[in-house]
Amino acid sequence: MTAPSIFDPPAGAAKHVLCVGAAVLDTLFRVHALPHGQGKVLPYDMLQIAEGMASSAAYAIVRLGGEASLWGAVGDDDTGERIIRDLDAAGIDMDGMLRVGGARSAVSTILVDDDGERLIVPFYDPKLHHTVKEFTAEHIAAFDAVLVDVRWPALALQVLKTARAMGKPAILDGDVAPDGIIEQLAPEATHIVFSEPAAQRLTGASDVSAMAHRLKQRFDHAFICITAGSAGSYWFDEQNNAVAHCPTISVKAVDTLAAGDIFHGAFALAIAEGMAPADAIRFSSIAAAIKCESFGGRSGAPTRANVIRRSRSP
């Protein structure tokens, strides 16, 4: 019989997380090396998959045993129907998606090299997010936590405000964004998980620990975490008034695309389940690392059993 794990889900119904933001049709090309300058690049593998920050996070939540709903926007076009169809088939509740007439759905072309690094060329039609999806506090009451990215800031802000006022975890994916977006959203978040590039851009620091200190000073109301790829994660431990570090597991990176999104989804689910912050970060870090072992963006998101098994490995 397998011993219990701190990462086991709590008793009762699965926790339900609302994810707000990007829904994109990605075309992934696998190449031996990323290009330098002009010319032709010949890929040796390819995949088309619907994903994006909030979408991939929602998929991670489903894979880890939670329930996820996605609020995003697509154009009134065939690409939009493909995005909704693919994410619905992945087990995500898509009833809250908005179809915007006259807008083109988001698409992206991505090159992934043999070291797992990537080059991303995304296109987001500004018309997609000109309006704000209407909702009420009753809608938010149905969720155990909310997670928003930076792609639809007007809606993200309202969702964060509503969730926080109701005492629910209001989690911000603090990725690189146009000037002023993070500053607009962060005051309404209870938890902010920054990517290292975004943290560096906001603080000007080169050391991740220094970034965490400065971000906590700036957004002292929120839990602050920074993901730093293979270097693990750093967060501000309020009990000890110091920056703590969580190393990640060792993997051979094949594709780092969506690893940060998997981290965010796992973290949102863990917080919704009441996991302690240090445990939630470890759980999320392992899930993100496992994803990097396989080509295909979000399709590499692990199950909970896989995360628990790897957490026990030496």
Side-chain angles (χ1 to χ4, degrees):
M1 183 176 179
T2 304
S5 167
I6 58 172
F7 299 148
D8 286 335
K15 298 302 181 182
H16 195 168
V17 180
L18 170 63
C19 300
V20 177
V24 188
L25 183 62
D26 282 348
T27 302
L28 282 60
F29 293 106
R30 198 171 182 189
V31 298
H32 291 300
L34 296 180
H36 298 282
Q38 63 181 356
K40 182 180 291 187
V41 180
L42 299 178
Y44 62 91
D45 199 359
M46 73 85 66
L47 173 71
Q48 278 196 320
I49 186 169
E51 47 188 5
M53 290 181 286
S55 302
S56 297
Y59 182 63
I61 290 164
V62 171
R63 289 282 287 168
L64 292 166
E67 295 185 8
S69 294
L70 180 66
W71 288 3
V74 296
D76 188 15
D77 52 22
D78 291 343
T79 300
E81 290 304 316
R82 165 77 184 272
I83 290 170
I84 291 174
R85 184 174 65 250
D86 285 7
L87 294 173
D88 179 74
I92 302 166
D93 171 28
M94 302 296 289
D95 288 347
M97 291 293 291
L98 195 66
R99 293 171 174 83
V100 182
R104 290 172 288 178
S105 296
V107 295
S108 181
T109 297
I110 302 164
L111 303 184
V112 181
D113 72 12
D114 285 343
D115 292 322
E117 294 304 322
R118 72 268 195 217
L119 175 66
I120 305 174
V121 184
F123 173 76
Y124 290 89
D125 189 336
K127 295 177 183 177
L128 277 177
H129 303 130
H130 273 180
T131 60
V132 177
K133 174 185 170 65
E134 294 183 359
F135 68 93
T136 66
E138 186 177 350
H139 290 110
I140 302 301
F143 303 106
D144 298 293
V146 303
L147 168 67
V148 308
D149 69 28
V150 297
R151 290 300 182 199
W152 198 352
L155 178 60
L157 180 63
Q158 296 305 316
V159 169
L160 288 174
K161 280 183 176 181
T162 305
R164 189 178 181 203
M166 299 176 74
K168 296 179 181 292
I171 304 161
L172 170 61
D173 175 350
D175 204 353
V176 174
D179 290 344
I181 297 299
I182 294 293
E183 293 84 350
Q184 177 187 14
L185 299 178
E188 301 301 332
T190 59
H191 302 71
I192 311 173
V193 181
F194 293 95
S195 66
E196 184 179 0
Q200 185 173 34
R201 180 175 175 178
L202 285 167
T203 64
S206 56
D207 176 74
V208 183
S209 182
M211 295 177 203
H213 267 290
R214 294 184 189 182
L215 289 168
K216 183 61 180 177
Q217 291 174 345
R218 190 170 182 180
F219 307 118
D220 63 348
H221 66 285
F223 176 85
I224 300 296
C225 176
I226 301 171
T227 60
S230 61
S233 304
Y234 295 77
W235 79 99
F236 196 89
D237 182 350
E238 296 183 13
Q239 288 188 335
N240 296 310
N241 196 36
V243 175
H245 175 242
C246 176
T248 190
I249 60 174
S250 179
V251 300
K252 166 56 179 170
V254 172
D255 176 11
T256 59
L257 181 68
D261 308 327
I262 301 304
F263 186 106
H264 286 93
F267 182 81
L269 178 61
I271 293 300
E273 292 178 349
M275 207 177 287
D279 295 335
I281 290 171
R282 176 67 174 163
F283 177 74
S284 307
S285 180
I286 294 171
I290 294 172
K291 181 260 115 21
C292 293
E293 294 179 320
S294 59
F295 172 71
R298 69 160 171 91
S299 65
T303 64
R304 197 173 199 119
N306 286 341
V307 172
I308 292 173
R309 178 177 58 82
R310 294 293 286 273
S311 73
R312 290 175 167 144
S313 299

